[in-house]
Amino acid sequence: MELTILWLVPVAYFIHILEESPRFVPWAKKYIGAPETFGQFVLGNVIFMAYVLISVSLAIFYTGAWTLILGFSTAAWIFSNFLIHAGYTLYTGEYSPGVVTASAIYTPLALYIYYNVWGSGILNTFDLILSIVIGFAIMYVPTVIQEKRMGKL
């Protein structure tokens, strides 16, 4: 498997941010409780983009079991973001800003990455599952904390 495929994760994330940016803050305040300002939206995305860029860079340039697990966790992270957008869209009946790119780009990319890594032998089954757990945790733990903090959960 060519690890450079992981560079598509930050590219996809950047496109996703473009879809979210004009409408995400008002939507999120209504359903999640945060971010409350565009500045918080930007800060959160800068933090997540740092995670993605560092993880992907480590996996590609310093290839080892842990760096690969972290690098592949970014694919699980974008897939889990799709699940959040799709879930809220279905639950509320209202467009969740980001659901289009999450559906059209994130899902096929994440599935393609995991399909290829599964058959490559780069990581064993435990390490693949661990990368999925890490990616989902990085997406869901902050979301659940925020929803609890804002009384939305």
Side-chain angles (χ1 to χ4, degrees):
M1 173 182 191
E2 185 62 40
L3 293 176
T4 56
I5 189 75
L6 291 173
W7 284 121
L8 290 177
V9 174
V11 172
Y13 182 36
F14 180 76
I15 294 167
H16 179 72
I17 293 168
L18 293 177
E19 179 192 358
E20 281 185 338
S21 63
R23 297 175 295 274
F24 189 78
V25 172
W27 177 89
K29 282 173 37 177
K30 182 176 179 181
Y31 293 108
I32 302 172
E36 295 179 357
T37 66
F38 187 72
Q40 290 173 350
F41 170 79
V42 170
L43 177 61
N45 280 296
V46 165
I47 292 167
F48 281 127
M49 185 62 86
Y51 149 68
V52 170
L53 290 171
I54 291 167
S55 299
V56 166
S57 297
L58 288 171
I60 292 170
F61 298 119
Y62 302 100
T63 305
W66 279 106
T67 59
L68 287 170
I69 290 167
L70 193 59
F72 286 111
S73 76
T74 64
W77 177 75
I78 62 172
F79 185 76
S80 66
N81 186 265
F82 154 72
L83 294 175
I84 287 176
H85 283 288
Y88 272 105
T89 298
L90 293 171
Y91 178 71
T92 66
E94 185 177 331
Y95 163 74
S96 167
V99 73
V100 173
T101 51
S103 302
I105 299 172
Y106 277 7
T107 300
L109 178 59
L111 294 175
Y112 179 78
I113 288 171
Y114 273 100
Y115 174 79
N116 281 289
V117 74
W118 178 263
S120 72
I122 292 174
L123 293 175
N124 63 39
T125 303
F126 176 79
D127 291 343
L128 282 172
I129 292 169
L130 184 57
S131 75
I132 293 168
V133 169
I134 291 169
F136 273 60
I138 289 172
M139 183 78 259
Y140 288 115
V141 169
T143 302
V144 168
I145 290 169
Q146 194 57 40
E147 287 181 334
K148 282 187 160 224
R149 187 176 77 81
M150 301 303 287
K152 301 285 183 174
L153 205 119

